[in-house]
């Protein structure tokens, strides 16, 4: 046995494993319980979304974006429609009501994504009850999703130039009630976790990554802000009228799993604040931009007006054709910077669409965060990075 | 005429003694099995309520038949023995883990004497299968034996996750058994007996011999609170319950040592977990909470205390996250072991001074 002391054990963690959040495969080299080397293998969920996009009209791509980060579909929708609007040069023509509703829905999406993150993260570390508490609140958001878009997960709600439809009657009140209940719920989760000695032991000082290392890798989102870098696209590169809202960007300097947890919880409170502000500012108005060649006309006009009928026919069969050019548009998705790089060759479908998914970039921090740590920390770090494989593999 | 009851012995009334013994074994075994089955139901219901869920509702009235349905389902599942496993050890492991859990029940007194007359002679039967004079040692030994089942399961499966689970639980059980064993030592020092019956009898006296406060019994939880705490925490670690459920940490090791098990063998592991929970609750009741003593009739008190302990374990599971391996070892060796030793020293000094 003495001859074997230098040997390490290679263990295949995933793709079928309860806590790799989907189909992530980690090849772990273990010395006892200590991780010597961690190699993430990705690609088990590759569906070729970028390639598929090259053969679809711009409107037909929106449902594909739902399937990127399937825990935050509306943020993906938003990033994409903003990119196309920028490509078309109609960013300034988006009506105010559309902007407000987009903000409300994407902030609800952020809450939804963070709730799933907290649920799974806590469950990975062994706190089962938090999981069910979070899913109770997430259920309310899925109900709201269902009411606005008809789908509970793959929303496909935003359109180039506006929204699929206005908010249904009475939903504003429901969203307000929900947003007002968030602080109490966050307090409930904090009561179970923040002061808990075992929770602190499992998260403080685990998966540390310095600000420099995080910037070098390109980590964004809450993981970057927990390393002390004050960077949030909503404030630093505003879109959708985010400059109208008063909110704080939570920043902490612990660089560890515990501070990433705190940052995300604070973000949930801020999101609830933004939703309430947006609801206050929400006024009646059109939900589509006045761009007849891009936006589908109302059904009433299609059957009564020849011009609308032609537009409708053209948009549905051939789509619209932006000028040749290339643009990059990014949004602050719940997991970090979600970017769309679009190249148009003047045809009705993109020449190339490159997606910059936050999870993909953030995952690169995993090896240096877990090497030299214990096996149990791998699970905690996967949880704290908040990765979604649909977005990583695309 | 008041008759003093005769004690049943094997040499004087062999048939009667054997019959009574068999009845006691049957009753204790059946009751334990039933509690095991319904502990799973209770756990699911209680945790369900704590987590804003319903728990089982569909099978039978209020889901009461759920444990039986689960058992039947597992019984009819395909029993897979992995081709790379060591088949003999693989089959032996679940038995080795379940048997000690049930055997420990045999030395636990669950009530006072039961008197009955047979052929005109009054007999007294202790409500305990065997009153060993080394009862506590026997229990500690059996708890130690349970480790072999887990180690064997981990090794025989020939799977890396199972191996890690096996190694973890070996280390965990050995470290915590030490603290648990030492915490009990303080009890012997006070009771001056290793017989569990004797320990319970000692706890029926008034607290610290104060006759004026005779309504408070001399339960050892009052004079040994530290030992009690160490025992409860150590026991949670020994029976692999949250927050010490590392050997089967689902999110890290898939299912730990029972990853490769299926069907009834898998069920045996779960039965063992719950049987161990009952055993540990029963031991804690006997050693610290005065066994069957209390306001109701003997065994009712005993069961009430055991159930309260089990509720406590379930409650803990709904609340706490899981410790990490190194933190677990730290807690076991560097905090609990010194505390247990200090407790023995303090108890010894106190006995020298006041008794």
């Amino acid at each position: 046995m003495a001859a074997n002391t230098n040997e390490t054990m290679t263990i295949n963690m995933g793709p079928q494993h309860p806590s790799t959040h989907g189909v992530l495969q980690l090849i772990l080299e273990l010395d006892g319980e200590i991780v010597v080397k961690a190699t993430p293998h990705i690609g088990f969920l590759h569906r070729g979304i970028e390639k598929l996009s090259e053969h679809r009209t711009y409107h037909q791509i929106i449902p594909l974006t739902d399937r990127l980060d399937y825990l935050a579909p509306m943020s993906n929708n938003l990033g994409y429609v903003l990119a196309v609007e920028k490509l078309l040069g109609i960013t300034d023509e988006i009506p105010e009501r559309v902007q407000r509703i987009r903000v409300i829905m994407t902030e609800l999406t952020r809450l939804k994504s963070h709730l799933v993150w907290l649920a799974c993260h806590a469950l990975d570390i062994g706190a089962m009850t938090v999981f069910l508490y979070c899913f109770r609140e997430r259920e309310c958001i899925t109900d709201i999703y269902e009411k606005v878009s008809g789908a509970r997960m793959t929303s496909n709600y935003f359109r180039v130039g506006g929204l699929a439809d206005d908010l249904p009657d009475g939903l504003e009140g429901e969203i307000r009630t929900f947003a007002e209940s968030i602080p109490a719920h966050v307090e409930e989760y904090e009561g179970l976790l923040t002061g808990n000695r075992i929770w602190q032991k499992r998260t403080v000082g685990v998966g540390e990554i310095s600000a420099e290392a995080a910037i070098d890798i390109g980590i964004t989102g809450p993981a970057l802000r927990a390393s002390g870098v004050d960077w949030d696209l909503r404030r630093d590169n505003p879109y959708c009228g985010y400059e109208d809202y008063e909110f704080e960007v939570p920043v902490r300097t612990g660089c560890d799993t515990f501070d990433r947890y705190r940052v995300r919880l604070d973000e949930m409170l801020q999101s609830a604040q933004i939703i309430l502000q947006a609801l206050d500012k929400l006024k009646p108005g059109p939900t589509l931009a006045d761009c007849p060649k891009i936006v589908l006309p109302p059904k009433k006009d299609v059957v009564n007006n020849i011009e609308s009928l032609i537009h409708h026919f053209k948009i549905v069969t051939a789509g619209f054709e932006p000028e040749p050019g290339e643009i990059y548009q990014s949004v602050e998705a719940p997991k970090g910077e979600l970017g769309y790089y679009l190249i148009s060759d003047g045809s009705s479908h993109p020449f190339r669409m490159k997606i910059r998914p936050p999870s993909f970039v953030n995952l690169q921090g995993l090896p240096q965060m877990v090497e030299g740590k214990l096996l149990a920390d791998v699970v905690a770090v996967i949880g704290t990075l908040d990765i979604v494989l649909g977005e990583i593999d695309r | 005429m008041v008759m003093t009851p005769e004690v049943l012995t094997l040499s004087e009334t062999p048939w009667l003694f054997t019959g009574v013994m068999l009845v006691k074994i049957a009753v204790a075994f059946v009751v334990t099995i039933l509690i095991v089955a319904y502990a799973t139901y209770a756990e699911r219901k209680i945790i369900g309520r704590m987590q804003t869920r319903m728990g089982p509702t569909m099978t039978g009235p209020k889901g009461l038949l759920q444990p039986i349905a689960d058992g039947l389902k597992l019984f009819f599942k395909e029993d897979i023995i992995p081709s790379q496993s060591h088949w003999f050890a693989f089959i032996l492991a679940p038995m080795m883990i379940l048997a000690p859990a049930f055997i420990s029940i045999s030395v636990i007194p669950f009530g006072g004497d039961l008197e009955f007359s047979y052929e005109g002679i009054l007999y007294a039967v202790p409500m305990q299968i065997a009153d060993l004079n080394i009862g506590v040692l026997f229990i500690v030994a059996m708890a130690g034996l349970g480790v072999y089942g887990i180690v064997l399961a981990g090794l025989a499966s020939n799977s890396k996750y199972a191996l890690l689970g096996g190694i973890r639980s070996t280390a965990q059980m050995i470290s915590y058994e030490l603290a648990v064993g030492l915490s009990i030592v303080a009890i012997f020092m006070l009771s001056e007996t290793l017989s569990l019956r004797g320990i319970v009898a000692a706890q029926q006296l008034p607290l610290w011999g104060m006759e004026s406060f005779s309504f408070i019994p001399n339960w050892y939880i009052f004079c040994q609170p530290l030992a009690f705490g160490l025992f409860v925490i150590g026991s949670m670690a020994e029976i692999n319950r949250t927050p010490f459920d590392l050997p089967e940490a689902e999110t890290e090791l898939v299912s730990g040592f029972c990853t490769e098990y299926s069907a009834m063998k898998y069920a045996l592991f779960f039965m063992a977990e719950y049987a161990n929970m009952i055993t540990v609750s029963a031991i804690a009741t006997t050693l610290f909470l005065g066994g069957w003593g209390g306001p109701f009739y003997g065994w009712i008190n005993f069961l009430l205390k055991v159930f309260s302990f089990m509720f406590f374990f379930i409650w803990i599971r709904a609340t706490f996250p899981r410790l990490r391996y190194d933190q677990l070892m730290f807690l076991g060796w560097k905090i609990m072991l010194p505390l247990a030793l200090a407790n023995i020293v303090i108890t010894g000094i106190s006995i020298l001074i006041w008794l």
Side-chain angles (χ1 to χ4, degrees):
Chain A
M1 288 301 282
N4 291 341
T5 45
N6 290 330
E7 265 185 37
T8 55
M9 177 164 90
T10 309
I11 194 165
N12 242 331
M13 195 167 166
Q16 284 92 23
H17 189 281
S19 60
T20 51
H21 291 215
V23 285
L24 173 68
Q25 184 186 19
L26 286 176
I27 312 284
L28 298 176
E29 248 179 63
L30 294 182
D31 178 14
E33 288 244 346
I34 295 171
V35 180
V36 180
K37 193 167 185 293
T39 320
H41 281 208
I42 59 170
F44 292 94
L45 202 59
H46 180 68
R47 293 145 302 170
I49 286 177
E50 289 181 5
K51 191 70 189 169
L52 283 171
S53 310
E54 293 169 17
H55 301 277
R56 275 163 172 68
T57 64
Y58 284 93
H59 258 136
Q60 287 171 339
I61 296 168
I62 301 175
L64 293 180
T65 63
D66 285 336
R67 276 111 182 132
L68 285 169
D69 175 0
Y70 42 76
L71 299 177
M74 293 230 195
S75 297
N76 308 335
N77 291 168
L78 181 71
Y80 174 73
V81 298
L82 286 180
V84 178
E85 282 162 10
K86 198 167 169 184
L87 189 66
L88 289 162
I90 58 166
T91 308
D92 298 332
E93 293 172 44
I94 306 301
E96 193 193 329
R97 186 172 173 83
V98 174
Q99 305 266 33
R100 301 277 185 239
I101 293 177
R102 281 180 178 176
V103 167
I104 293 171
M105 293 315 294
T106 42
E107 289 307 319
L108 277 175
T109 304
R110 190 180 314 280
L111 281 171
K112 193 183 181 197
S113 169
H114 281 4
L115 282 169
V116 175
W117 159 78
L118 180 60
C120 298
H121 188 38
L123 187 68
D124 286 349
I125 295 184
M128 190 170 47
T129 304
V130 182
F131 177 82
L132 287 134
Y133 282 9
C134 289
F135 266 68
R136 178 185 61 192
E137 272 74 72
R138 179 180 181 264
E139 195 63 22
C140 300
I141 305 179
T142 0
D143 285 345
I144 294 170
Y145 260 52
E146 195 177 358
K147 282 173 186 160
V148 298
S149 69
R152 293 169 68 80
M153 268 183 89
T154 48
S155 56
N156 187 20
Y157 179 54
F158 300 152
R159 294 286 183 272
V160 176
L163 306 167
D165 209 340
D166 205 342
L167 295 179
D169 289 341
L171 193 71
E172 285 170 38
E174 195 175 316
I175 296 174
R176 184 181 294 277
T177 319
F178 176 74
E180 279 166 355
S181 74
I182 282 294
H185 289 309
V186 170
E187 203 171 309
E188 200 175 8
Y189 315 141
E190 289 221 58
L192 272 168
L193 297 175
T194 308
N196 188 321
R197 282 289 294 277
I198 299 179
W199 177 259
Q200 288 182 359
K201 281 194 162 197
R202 286 300 305 275
T203 53
V204 174
V206 170
E208 284 179 321
I209 190 153
S210 65
E212 291 80 43
I215 291 171
D216 286 350
I217 294 169
I219 289 177
T220 46
L224 180 69
R225 290 192 283 275
S227 288
V229 182
D230 193 2
W231 178 253
D232 188 322
L233 288 173
R234 288 176 294 172
R235 185 198 57 201
D236 300 317
N237 190 10
Y239 52 90
C240 255
Y242 264 109
E243 58 272 25
D244 296 350
Y245 305 101
E246 280 177 26
F247 62 99
E248 283 169 22
V249 177
V251 176
R252 283 176 189 271
T253 51
C255 308
D256 58 3
T257 304
F258 185 68
D259 270 11
R260 285 188 280 271
Y261 153 80
R262 296 291 293 274
V263 163
R264 286 200 178 93
L265 281 192
D266 291 345
E267 264 180 27
M268 285 165 72
L269 296 174
Q270 295 299 327
S271 285
Q273 281 304 312
I274 297 174
I275 292 170
L276 290 175
Q277 289 177 35
L279 282 170
D280 289 340
K281 293 178 180 176
L282 192 61
K283 293 184 195 77
T287 54
L288 283 167
D290 186 18
C291 306
K293 286 196 169 15
I294 293 160
V295 170
L296 280 177
K299 194 69 186 173
K300 186 163 63 59
D301 290 353
V302 176
V303 290
N304 290 320
N305 184 337
I306 183 65
E307 203 180 346
S308 294
L309 180 64
I310 292 169
H311 282 313
H312 184 271
F313 182 76
K314 280 293 284 179
I315 293 170
V316 170
T317 54
F320 48 81
E321 293 170 355
E323 294 293 304
E326 48 194 80
I327 58 99
Y328 177 76
Q329 170 70 43
S330 58
V331 294
E332 184 73 28
K335 292 167 178 70
E337 177 181 344
L338 171 69
Y340 287 87
Y341 184 67
L342 278 171
I343 303 179
S344 163
D345 57 357
S347 67
S348 60
H349 40 79
F351 176 75
R352 174 82 171 95
M353 179 171 86
K354 168 81 180 89
I355 304 164
R356 182 219 187 269
S359 299
F360 176 73
V361 184
N362 291 359
L363 179 66
Q364 296 180 79
L366 182 96
Q368 75 180 78
M369 283 156 95
V370 299
E371 277 167 16
K373 298 285 174 56
L374 288 147
L375 178 63
D377 291 336
V378 176
V379 176
V381 169
I382 294 176
T384 189
L385 281 174
D386 194 13
I387 52 168
V388 165
L389 271 293
E391 189 175 59
I392 292 172
D393 296 340
R394 304 193 288 293
Chain B
M1 190 181 79
V2 179
M3 282 198 294
T4 37
E6 297 277 328
V7 177
L8 275 178
T9 52
L10 189 56
S11 49
E12 285 174 22
T13 48
W15 290 110
L16 192 58
F17 180 83
T18 315
V20 167
M21 210 51 158
L22 284 177
V23 168
K24 279 200 287 190
I25 291 171
V27 168
F29 186 71
V30 168
V31 168
T32 315
I33 288 271
L34 274 178
I35 299 178
V36 166
Y38 278 90
T40 60
Y41 173 78
E43 169 149 26
R44 290 169 69 176
K45 271 287 183 194
I46 293 167
I47 290 198
R49 286 302 156 114
M50 288 175 178
Q51 296 175 340
T52 68
R53 302 184 280 124
M54 298 297 286
T57 52
M58 303 300 282
T59 331
K62 302 216 175 255
L64 272 168
L65 295 178
Q66 189 65 41
I68 293 157
D70 286 342
L72 278 177
K73 188 205 91 170
L74 284 165
F75 204 73
F76 287 117
K77 283 273 172 180
E78 188 189 351
D79 191 11
I80 300 165
I81 299 177
S83 57
Q84 296 297 307
S85 69
H86 190 292
W87 68 271
F88 181 70
F90 191 79
I91 294 171
L92 190 66
M95 303 178 195
M96 279 199 65
I97 190 170
L98 187 61
F102 278 119
I103 292 173
S104 307
I105 300 283
S106 63
V107 291
I108 291 173
F110 40 85
D113 286 350
L114 188 72
E115 296 183 355
F116 73 103
S117 55
Y118 180 76
E119 289 181 349
I121 308 165
L122 191 66
Y123 292 104
V125 181
M127 283 171 88
Q128 181 183 21
I129 294 172
D131 182 15
L132 294 186
N133 53 0
I134 49 154
V136 181
L137 269 185
F138 180 78
I139 282 172
V140 173
M142 284 303 132
L145 215 55
V147 186
Y148 285 98
I150 294 181
V151 177
L152 220 55
L155 282 174
S157 302
N158 201 8
S159 148
K160 287 169 180 173
Y161 286 118
L163 179 69
L164 278 173
I167 294 171
R168 276 186 179 188
S169 61
T170 322
Q172 175 177 337
M173 289 178 117
I174 290 171
S175 349
Y176 279 82
E177 224 165 80
L178 221 58
V180 168
L182 287 173
S183 73
I184 304 179
V185 169
I187 301 291
F188 313 152
M189 294 164 74
L190 288 173
S191 67
E192 295 174 4
T193 171
L194 277 178
S195 148
L196 287 166
R197 210 170 181 73
I199 291 175
V200 174
Q203 291 182 73
Q204 309 299 333
L205 305 168
L207 185 63
W208 299 322
M210 293 187 292
E211 296 296 338
S212 49
F213 292 99
S214 58
F215 57 90
I216 308 175
N218 187 25
W219 293 358
Y220 287 138
I221 185 176
F222 297 125
C223 42
Q224 289 291 345
L226 180 61
F228 177 71
L230 289 172
F231 182 82
V232 170
I233 295 172
S235 314
M236 272 197 279
E238 251 194 87
I239 60 175
N240 299 333
R241 292 283 303 182
T242 313
F244 306 106
D245 57 342
L246 287 92
E248 45 190 312
E250 186 183 298
T251 47
E252 293 152 32
L253 301 179
V254 191
S255 274
F257 59 85
C258 47
T259 305
E260 303 294 332
Y261 280 86
S262 58
M264 211 49 208
K265 291 205 199 70
Y266 182 73
L268 289 186
F269 280 114
F270 264 73
M271 282 168 72
E273 185 184 327
Y274 285 92
N276 273 324
M277 200 159 102
I278 296 167
T279 313
V280 160
S281 310
I283 298 167
T285 305
T286 310
L287 294 180
F288 292 97
L289 296 183
W292 68 81
F296 306 108
Y297 181 69
W299 55 269
I300 299 176
N301 293 321
F302 181 77
L303 279 184
L304 277 178
K305 289 173 194 170
V306 169
F307 290 154
S308 330
F309 258 105
M310 290 172 69
F311 177 79
F312 174 72
F313 287 140
I314 291 170
W315 186 14
I316 290 283
R317 183 171 168 205
T319 314
F320 282 113
R322 183 183 305 118
L323 274 170
R324 208 170 58 195
Y325 182 64
D326 58 327
Q327 293 159 351
L328 183 89
M329 289 293 125
F330 182 87
L331 181 70
W333 289 99
K334 295 198 175 161
I335 298 175
M336 289 185 52
L337 188 63
L339 275 180
L341 287 170
N343 190 45
I344 292 175
V345 173
I346 293 166
T347 310
I349 294 171
S350 316
I351 288 174
L352 281 178
I353 296 173
W354 284 300
L355 294 179

